[in-house]
Amino acid sequence: MIITELTVAKGILDQGKLLAIPTETVYGLAANAFDGSAIAQIYAVKNRPQFNPLILHSNSLERFQSWGIHLPKEALKLAQTYSPGPITFVVPKSNRIPDIVTAGHSTVAIRIPNHELTLALLQMLNYPLAAPSANLSGTVSPTTAQHVAQQLGHLIEGVLEGGPCQIGLESTIVSFVNEKPQLLRLGGLSVEAIESVLGLNLNLNAIINNENPQAPGMLSKHYAPAIKLRIGKPQDFSNAYSFAEMAYIAFNEPHPQIPLSQQFILSPKGNLVEAAQKLFAALKQADQLPVKIIVAALFPNEHLGRAINDRLSRAARN
Ligand code: TXA
Ligand code: MG
């Protein structure tokens, strides 16, 4: 079930079976992107809506080019700076890519993950891997092999062990199919980092959400824990709940009245990168506690704090 040998991993994928793979962002549920029935299994196992397209993963831009996928100039600039890394490019699709991967869209999302083991695996394959996050649709993305095994272990062939994810948030998605690059999802590469290479300001209004349903994947219930999660200060909820009934997720300062075992202070030294890395594990652990509400304080709205706040606000719609 937990796999450590790349040859075993390759064997599973070559047979059209599903393998969870580590990346720097979150674990992905991978299959041969050229094998339509393997891709159909991904949708089935995740219980993912058929209209929500998948991201293609490979180890170099040249490989993508050999499959007919080309990056426009601006995207190339970003890729040269940040790939491999937590950024996904939406570009025109090629005929080589089955429609089931892109859910019928004329565009395809591609990325080069920055994880040594997975890069070595991708290098060994003569096809790209289609991989959504390795969780049931609507639940929090996994950042360890154990998270994946707990939720999907009985439904898939294996999980390639690659340690805890270093970034901990899904990739940032930028679309290059219109004249101006469009940010579709906040994620592990900050808006500031992207803007500094592009030399322009991204429009944050195009970010995918329920109010923007043309875009497929980021519907609100996406990161929902089972226990009610709300954004704010613990005091805001103390009329309805005692402090003992609360779990608390915050950046660097614990709350004086909530039991410490129910608090997730993601970076006591105030580092947003560290906080991002720990966010999803904290959401999962909080969800296991005997509490009635998870209160999350908003993070500074800059750099990775923006993506953290995005995931928390989505989780708060449960
Ligand atoms: O970090 C990540 O991106 C992880 C790792 C495994 O690579 N993958 C991931 O995949 O987060 P997933 O399926 O959970 O999210 C992919 C998002 C979805 O919101 C989907 O709608 C969007 O990418 N997407 C995929 N193809 C697209 C396209 N052609 N146009 C617009 N959005 C697209
Ligand atoms: Mg996902």
Side-chain angles (χ1 to χ4, degrees):
M1 168 49 34
I2 297 275
I3 286 162
T4 53
E5 298 281 324
L6 285 185
T7 48
V8 177
K10 177 180 187 305
I12 290 172
L13 293 164
D14 284 348
Q15 287 171 49
K17 295 183 174 156
L18 305 191
L19 176 76
I21 55 165
T23 82
E24 81 283 30
T25 58
V26 300
Y27 274 71
L29 180 57
N32 176 352
F34 294 152
D35 181 341
S37 62
I39 302 306
Q41 282 180 60
I42 292 183
Y43 284 93
V45 161
K46 276 187 63 95
N47 198 13
R48 184 180 178 100
Q50 292 279 349
F51 58 78
N52 191 1
L54 308 178
I55 297 176
L56 291 189
H57 300 68
S58 191
N59 62 311
S60 74
L61 289 182
E62 290 71 32
R63 305 286 304 277
F64 283 117
Q65 278 159 14
S66 74
W67 297 314
I69 301 169
H70 302 281
L71 296 195
K73 209 169 85 210
E74 300 279 78
L76 263 183
K77 232 160 108 182
L78 276 179
Q80 275 150 11
T81 315
Y82 296 121
S83 286
I87 177 164
T88 293
F89 305 89
V90 172
V91 296
K93 173 184 177 306
S94 79
N95 292 337
R96 281 298 296 281
I97 312 305
D99 285 326
I100 186 169
V101 169
T102 62
H105 288 255
S106 58
T107 57
V108 64
I110 65 165
R111 106 175 182 90
I112 303 174
N114 189 15
H115 190 288
E116 210 181 334
L117 196 63
T118 293
L119 283 171
L121 174 64
L122 289 164
Q123 164 84 48
M124 291 160 67
L125 306 175
N126 57 10
Y127 45 82
L129 291 177
S133 51
N135 53 281
L136 295 176
S137 196
T139 67
V140 178
S141 299
T143 53
T144 65
Q146 289 68 36
H147 289 164
V148 181
Q150 277 156 21
Q151 199 183 50
L152 298 181
H154 57 298
L155 298 172
I156 65 179
E157 204 61 24
V159 184
L160 180 61
E161 175 59 79
C165 300
Q166 291 304 300
I167 303 278
L169 290 175
E170 297 86 349
S171 60
T172 303
I173 305 181
V174 188
S175 166
F176 292 88
V177 293
N178 297 318
E179 225 168 279
K180 268 194 78 185
Q182 275 204 324
L183 184 72
L184 296 185
R185 177 171 77 180
L186 290 162
L189 183 64
S190 74
V191 172
E192 291 87 340
I194 293 172
E195 289 178 338
S196 75
V197 167
L198 290 179
L200 53 80
N201 287 330
L202 290 169
N203 172 9
L204 301 190
N205 297 328
I207 292 172
I208 301 171
N209 57 37
N210 270 3
E211 289 76 52
N212 179 16
Q214 52 98 11
M218 291 288 284
L219 302 180
S220 59
K221 269 185 64 188
H222 248 70
Y223 298 86
I227 297 174
K228 170 151 100 172
L229 184 147
R230 291 294 176 267
I231 308 277
K233 300 192 184 74
Q235 306 70 285
D236 304 339
F237 304 93
S238 57
N239 282 340
Y241 303 94
S242 71
F243 289 120
E245 290 172 329
M246 296 181 190
Y248 184 50
I249 298 179
F251 185 27
N252 51 3
E253 296 224 351
H255 189 271
Q257 281 147 297
I258 297 176
L260 278 179
S261 60
Q262 291 166 207
Q263 298 201 49
F264 301 86
I265 307 307
L266 300 188
S267 177
K269 57 175 190 273
N271 178 335
L272 285 169
V273 174
E274 181 187 19
Q277 196 190 359
K278 293 187 177 159
L279 176 69
F280 288 160
L283 279 172
K284 279 176 190 290
Q285 282 173 39
D287 212 18
Q288 302 301 315
L289 292 172
V291 296
K292 299 228 166 89
I293 185 170
I294 303 168
V295 178
L298 278 183
F299 283 62
N301 210 31
E302 56 181 15
H303 302 284
L304 292 190
R306 250 197 275 240
I308 295 175
N309 286 340
D310 171 88
R311 299 304 188 269
L312 287 173
S313 340
R314 290 172 199 278
R317 300 195 196 149
N318 65 352

